Amino acid sequence: MRSFLTAFLFASTLAGVSLLPRAALAGDVLSVGVGALGGAGVVGLSKPGDTTIAVGGATGQDTSYPGFFGGTVGAGLSLDARLIGILGVEADLFYAFGEKGSGDLTLRPTKYNIEIGQPALHVPVLVKGVLPIGIVRPFVGFGPEFVLPGKSTAKVDLAGISTRIDARADSYTLLTLALGVEIKLPLPAIDLRIPIALRGSLNPSTSDKVTDRRDMALAGTQITGITYKSEWQYQGMVTAGVAYWF
């Protein structure tokens, strides 16, 4: 929550700057863009490398964790502040309507397809460098992306499974790299731009241990429930939008 408040205060500060009279912006040294954006992409959790577990004082291997891969789609608002058109900071409020991934879980002798995920609010805060030449202007951005998940769900494709399957996700932070272009429309009266970007994100807090990726409920040696953590390890997105600059 502290991460979200920091991002919110930062975005609010930029919004306040955007309300300053144009004369106070020191002759276009500082420019501000506000707009909307949408995007779609993929999310995923790889299989963990450390599959060691301990049950009843004995150790063993749990290779049942399937790994998950799926899609995401969303939309939101964007706020961009830039110095002399070159160096800036972009803060977005992006709501992902559904981030869901699926994988195959084998509980002998049956294989089950499981889908986990949730909606989530994303707040990326990216430091950007822009080449402000011509109509099509390349840019690169990098920074933290704060993620506040909604209610997680889990779905199994076959009825009759005796093991309860759930999912949960706490807030987490991605590191996001954005590569893209900003198309400045040749309009005489207003400054409208279309940003298009490819964004790749990594969750550095994702554990490589299977015991950190899911919680198991046991009755003796019988597995009665599995709760998967659906805080995504990887995310890739294509975003596009429109922004008004002043």
Side-chain angles (χ1 to χ4, degrees):
M1 181 59 70
R2 181 177 297 177
S3 296
F4 174 72
L5 290 175
T6 300
F8 178 79
L9 290 173
F10 179 82
S12 299
T13 301
L14 290 184
V17 170
S18 70
L19 297 177
L20 292 173
R22 186 167 180 82
L25 297 183
D28 292 330
V29 171
L30 173 65
S31 56
V32 176
V34 293
L37 76 161
V42 295
V43 292
L45 277 161
S46 67
K47 290 188 176 184
D50 185 348
T51 59
T52 304
I53 59 172
V55 178
T59 61
Q61 300 294 317
D62 175 12
T63 59
S64 66
Y65 186 95
F68 297 92
F69 183 81
T72 179
V73 62
L77 301 175
S78 178
L79 184 62
D80 207 321
R82 199 169 299 167
L83 291 172
I84 58 175
I86 297 176
L87 182 64
V89 177
E90 176 182 343
D92 303 328
L93 288 175
F94 187 89
Y95 187 76
F97 304 110
E99 300 177 336
K100 295 185 177 181
S102 62
D104 290 330
L105 169 67
T106 300
L107 296 177
R108 295 179 181 177
T110 308
K111 179 181 290 187
Y112 299 93
N113 183 262
I114 300 174
E115 182 182 77
I116 62 173
Q118 63 275 321
L121 177 65
H122 291 247
V123 187
V125 182
L126 308 178
V127 176
K128 295 175 68 176
V130 185
L131 185 62
I133 299 174
I135 295 177
V136 180
R137 303 173 176 182
F139 67 81
V140 60
F142 180 77
E145 182 169 333
F146 308 105
V147 185
L148 285 82
K151 181 177 175 54
S152 301
T153 59
K155 179 182 177 182
V156 184
D157 68 347
L158 293 176
I161 181 173
S162 59
T163 303
R164 187 187 73 256
I165 304 296
D166 292 314
R168 72 176 179 88
D170 298 322
S171 59
Y172 60 101
T173 302
L174 298 168
L175 294 179
T176 296
L177 174 67
L179 299 173
V181 294
E182 183 179 86
I183 304 172
K184 188 178 186 302
L185 299 180
L187 301 175
I190 59 175
D191 187 349
L192 280 182
R193 307 179 193 179
I194 299 175
I196 302 172
L198 177 62
R199 303 188 184 197
S201 304
L202 172 68
N203 182 353
S205 66
T206 300
S207 173
D208 196 42
K209 297 181 178 180
V210 68
T211 51
D212 293 333
R213 298 280 196 93
R214 85 299 177 263
D215 299 320
M216 277 191 176
L218 299 173
T221 58
Q222 179 69 33
I223 302 172
T224 59
I226 305 175
T227 300
Y228 291 100
K229 297 180 182 180
S230 50
E231 300 153 18
W232 302 112
Q233 180 182 13
Y234 304 109
Q235 176 182 276
M237 292 196 73
V238 176
T239 61
V242 60
Y244 171 69
W245 283 79
F246 52 97

